[in-house]
Amino acid sequence: MKRDPSLSPQAASEPQAPHEPLGPDDPLALAPAPFNPYKGNRGLTRAWHALKNSINGFRVAIREESAFRQELTLAAILVPCGTFVPVDAVSHVLLVGSVLLVLIVELLNSSVEAAIDRISLERHELSRRAKDLGSAAVTVALVLCVLTWALIVGPLAMHWLGR
């Protein structure tokens, strides 16, 4: 019976050579990413740069995205209401969290749209699909928010109205 040389202890510790070299169109053969001065930061420096980038993101969203401004206005009304509604702590988290989720999904949708517009402004089926999927995600978040508020605050409102 012949013994397989790849099962030897030396073969297990030696790295396997690739069977063929990577071609120029192989995604693994791409050049390394350009130097990013923020990737080397650690600890508080990294957190500080991340906070500055986040604040810039909020500024851009408020300045450039009307849907985000509308949802932010709604959040400015609903978040305080959600904290003062006489319900248990979990319900407070659900009320406020559902509103914040809408803002999160809107920011992600806006970033997808900006990236697609950066690539090309020409009409393309895949660009349309990506933008439509982002819009659908915002709609799902809005429906979740409405359902959460209706199920938690709805019965209280009915009781307050005397029905």
Side-chain angles (χ1 to χ4, degrees):
M1 182 167 154
K2 278 184 126 180
R3 187 168 181 205
D4 186 359
S6 67
L7 297 177
S8 70
Q10 290 102 358
S13 64
E14 294 174 10
Q16 296 288 325
H19 294 1
E20 58 187 57
L22 297 175
D25 59 340
D26 192 312
L28 297 176
L30 295 176
F35 174 73
N36 184 339
Y38 302 112
K39 288 293 183 179
N41 294 328
R42 299 278 188 254
L44 290 177
T45 303
R46 191 198 81 54
W48 175 251
H49 286 293
L51 177 63
K52 288 187 345 187
N53 291 339
S54 297
I55 291 169
N56 287 337
F58 280 118
R59 285 183 181 148
V60 169
I62 291 167
R63 187 177 60 242
E64 303 290 331
E65 301 294 332
S66 62
F68 184 77
R69 285 193 302 271
Q70 292 168 350
E71 292 156 356
L72 192 60
T73 302
L74 186 64
I77 297 166
L78 291 180
V79 167
C81 291
T83 58
F84 292 118
V85 174
V87 293
D88 61 298
V90 173
S91 295
H92 284 290
V93 170
L94 290 171
L95 291 172
V96 173
S98 66
V99 174
L100 295 178
L101 180 65
V102 171
L103 295 177
I104 292 167
V105 175
E106 183 63 49
L107 288 168
L108 292 171
N109 179 45
S110 296
S111 68
V112 166
E113 289 180 353
I116 289 168
D117 290 345
R118 164 66 173 89
I119 293 167
S120 174
L121 291 175
E122 77 178 50
R123 294 190 184 272
H124 191 279
E125 174 60 26
L126 292 176
S127 298
R128 185 185 66 78
R129 185 184 308 171
K131 288 183 175 189
D132 288 350
L133 289 170
S135 179
V138 173
T139 301
V140 170
L142 285 167
V143 168
L144 176 67
C145 183
V146 169
L147 286 174
T148 302
W149 279 78
L151 291 173
I152 294 173
V153 178
L156 292 173
M158 292 303 217
H159 178 72
W160 290 335
L161 296 174
R163 293 183 184 178

